[in-house]
Amino acid sequence: MSKIIQYCLAKSIGAYINILSYVAPKKAFAIAYMFFSEPRKGKIDPVKIPKTLQKAEHQTYFFKEHQIQTYIWKGNEEIILLVHGWESNASRWKKLLPYLKKTNKTIIAIDGPAHGMSSGKEFNVPIYAEFIDQVVQKYNPSIVIGHSIGGNAIAYFQSIYNHNFEKIILLGAPSDFKVILENYFKMLGLNLKIQNQFLTYIKQRFTIVIDDFSASLFLKNNTISGIIAHDIDDSVVLFEEGKKIAHSWKAAKFMETKGLGHSMHDENLYQSIVDFIEE
């Protein structure tokens, strides 16, 4: 779909929601929240599992109403946990896996809420953090790597559960939830009525004040060694977001890349990650 068509579609949806907000405000908010929280891709058909994941050991866990899918590539007793981002799944680590396997550590990748073969329709960082916690409790990983919103979920998880990771690696991760939300409002052109409903709902349901929901605050003064890698040309999560995290997390090394975009797939970067893990 071309950018022009995507733009027109988003504005049309936003206009409909805005009009509806005056006659059926609850329905208008429900639609707006659905588009914000329900991924439109990233699920895996169990009969068409990507080859990368076919080679892994599959483990499914149940927590509350959720089904959590994990994939394991066995190595030694040290464990690396991989946390993907929005509208993705554990197969996004295909290009990094050969590098990580050189460390001989056990690698575990997780499918986030409403992604891959995990259950649900709704995705949000607090639920993702609960998924991460379930896997961390079972396997006690020493290293965690997160891409995009998966990196933000790791930061939030760490602020709540304070796991004794040895190393944390964030790739193209956003810092401020406020920025994500404002970009969504802008993309659809949502009016203040709907915007205020979002803020109220999030505060009531998750006990979250938007301004305080920030990876840079979650990792402020954190003493765990880490890497924050972000690409100058990232058009999905702007480069400034990575710099915010790096500014507050002094124990982490900031790695600036160029030409990788948001995917962050790169041989040199991956080798640097392996070198950092084996230090």
Side-chain angles (χ1 to χ4, degrees):
M1 187 183 297
S2 73
K3 290 184 178 180
I4 294 176
I5 294 175
Q6 286 179 325
Y7 174 85
C8 292
L9 181 59
K11 294 301 182 184
S12 297
I13 292 171
Y16 171 72
I17 292 171
N18 288 339
I19 294 170
L20 194 63
S21 70
Y22 292 100
V23 294
K26 290 184 178 179
K27 183 176 181 180
F29 172 72
I31 294 171
Y33 187 75
M34 177 194 70
F35 279 109
F36 180 73
S37 64
E38 294 186 14
R40 285 159 290 283
K41 59 182 180 180
K43 293 294 286 185
I44 293 175
D45 184 339
V47 300
K48 296 180 181 179
I49 298 173
K51 288 184 179 180
T52 300
L53 303 181
Q54 289 177 18
K55 300 175 183 178
E57 175 186 325
H58 294 194
Q59 290 287 345
T60 306
Y61 304 98
F62 297 91
F63 169 69
K64 295 181 180 179
E65 72 276 21
H66 305 294
Q67 174 181 304
I68 305 170
Q69 185 65 44
T70 63
Y71 310 87
I72 305 170
W73 294 266
K74 287 189 175 180
N76 60 32
E77 293 182 355
E78 289 191 79
I79 293 171
I80 301 171
L81 176 62
L82 305 179
V83 183
H84 69 77
W86 171 253
E87 294 190 336
S88 185
N89 54 61
S91 69
R92 76 90 50 207
W93 302 108
K94 174 182 177 180
K95 295 181 180 179
L96 176 59
L97 279 168
Y99 292 86
L100 295 180
K101 287 177 181 178
K102 294 177 184 178
T103 68
N104 294 318
K105 301 182 191 301
T106 292
I107 303 163
I108 301 176
I110 185 174
D111 280 336
H115 290 82
M117 292 195 290
S118 288
S119 65
K121 291 184 177 180
E122 178 186 4
F123 174 91
N124 62 62
V125 166
I127 293 177
Y128 207 173
E130 290 185 337
F131 275 36
I132 295 168
D133 181 52
Q134 292 302 302
V135 177
V136 166
Q137 284 187 48
K138 182 166 183 64
Y139 294 104
N140 190 32
S142 58
I143 297 162
V144 61
I145 304 174
H147 175 250
S148 191
I149 199 70
N152 188 277
I154 289 168
Y156 176 74
F157 163 84
Q158 193 61 18
S159 73
I160 300 296
Y161 300 97
N162 194 31
H163 181 64
N164 60 335
F165 290 118
E166 293 178 9
K167 296 174 181 178
I168 298 174
I169 300 166
L170 306 182
L171 307 175
S175 173
D176 299 351
F177 180 58
K178 182 179 181 179
V179 172
I180 296 172
L181 199 56
E182 287 178 346
N183 286 343
Y184 176 69
F185 294 158
K186 183 179 179 181
M187 180 179 70
L188 267 64
L190 297 177
N191 61 28
L192 288 176
K193 189 177 180 71
I194 294 294
Q195 292 182 33
N196 289 333
Q197 283 181 287
F198 259 91
L199 300 181
T200 300
Y201 177 79
I202 290 169
K203 185 175 182 179
Q204 290 177 347
R205 181 179 173 190
F206 301 109
T207 320
I208 289 172
V209 177
I210 297 297
D211 289 339
D212 296 336
F213 200 91
S214 166
S216 62
L217 294 178
F218 298 150
L219 294 172
K220 187 176 182 180
N221 302 321
N222 192 297
T223 58
I224 296 174
S225 180
I227 285 178
I228 304 159
H230 215 110
D231 195 78
I232 294 174
D233 299 325
D234 191 335
S235 60
V236 177
V237 177
L238 297 183
F239 181 68
E240 286 72 19
E241 290 290 285
K243 290 177 69 175
K244 286 179 192 174
I245 302 172
H247 181 73
S248 63
W249 183 17
K250 304 299 183 184
K253 176 184 178 182
F254 185 62
M255 296 181 63
E256 175 185 310
T257 64
K258 182 171 176 56
L260 307 184
H262 188 56
S263 67
M264 299 295 289
H265 293 308
D266 178 70
E267 293 181 2
N268 292 329
L269 173 61
Y270 288 163
Q271 186 57 55
S272 295
I273 289 172
V274 170
D275 292 343
F276 172 67
I277 288 172
E278 294 186 323
E279 283 178 357

